[in-house]
């Protein structure tokens, strides 16, 4: 999954979010759109709903990543600040999962690591 693929997926999730919002409360679809925080367009419930939509879209592609882990929620530089930081966060999680899975496969270990794709074994 490329950076552009991830960004397109986040944009699609934002379009879903906008379907349930009034015209004057639409979230702009752009890479620099503030999502969460002082200037953010989403409150905590809106952010959780967006993350669930993104996780569902990823699962539809057999990619299993948890976006709202404790580390991300408590990070000093929030990965949920804007669309760009969210896309970078997803990209990092995907690459980290792929690297872990490949490492274990190379070591000849077959374990459930929560690999980003479900059909690794």
């Amino acid at each position: 999954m490329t950076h552009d693929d991830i960004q397109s997926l986040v944009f699609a999730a934002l379009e879903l979010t906008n379907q349930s919002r009034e015209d004057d409360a639409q979230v702009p679809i752009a890479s620099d759109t503030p999502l969460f925080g002082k200037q953010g367009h989403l409150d905590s419930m809106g952010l959780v709903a967006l993350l669930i939509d993104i996780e569902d879209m990823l699962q539809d592609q057999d990619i299993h990543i948890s976006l709202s882990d404790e580390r991300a929620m408590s990070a000093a530089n929030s990965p949920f600040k804007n669309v760009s930081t969210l896309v970078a966060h997803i990209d990092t999680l995907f690459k980290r999962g792929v690297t872990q899975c490949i490492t274990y496969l190379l070591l000849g270990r077959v374990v459930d690591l929560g690999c980003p794709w479900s059909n690794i074994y």
Side-chain angles (χ1 to χ4, degrees):
M1 176 163 268
T2 69
H3 181 84
D4 289 343
D5 294 334
I6 295 168
Q7 181 171 286
S8 295
L9 190 133
V10 171
F11 285 171
L14 285 171
E15 288 173 7
L16 280 176
T17 297
N18 282 338
Q19 289 177 6
S20 63
R21 297 171 71 98
E22 298 294 326
D23 288 343
D24 62 342
Q26 296 287 297
V27 178
I29 310 293
S31 62
D32 62 347
T33 297
L35 294 176
F36 189 68
K38 281 186 179 181
Q39 305 297 321
H41 291 274
L42 302 172
D43 59 14
S44 58
M45 293 299 289
L47 177 64
V48 169
L50 176 67
L51 296 178
I52 290 170
D53 286 342
I54 293 169
E55 287 176 354
D56 288 346
M57 290 175 170
L58 288 167
Q59 286 180 8
D60 288 345
Q61 298 180 38
D62 275 340
I63 298 170
H64 303 278
I65 297 174
S66 176
L67 300 179
S68 57
D69 66 2
E70 189 174 317
R71 192 178 337 160
M73 297 307 254
S74 63
N77 294 320
S78 173
F80 312 120
K81 180 180 178 181
N82 59 44
V83 170
S84 241
T85 58
L86 177 57
V87 169
H89 175 63
I90 296 167
D91 194 31
T92 298
L93 291 174
F94 180 75
K95 287 177 181 169
R96 183 182 305 145
V98 169
T99 301
Q100 273 187 326
C101 291
I102 290 171
T103 300
Y104 273 87
L105 288 172
L106 290 174
L107 292 172
R109 297 180 185 168
V110 179
V111 293
D112 181 4
L113 295 172
C115 294
W117 58 90
S118 64
N119 57 353
I120 187 77
Y121 312 111

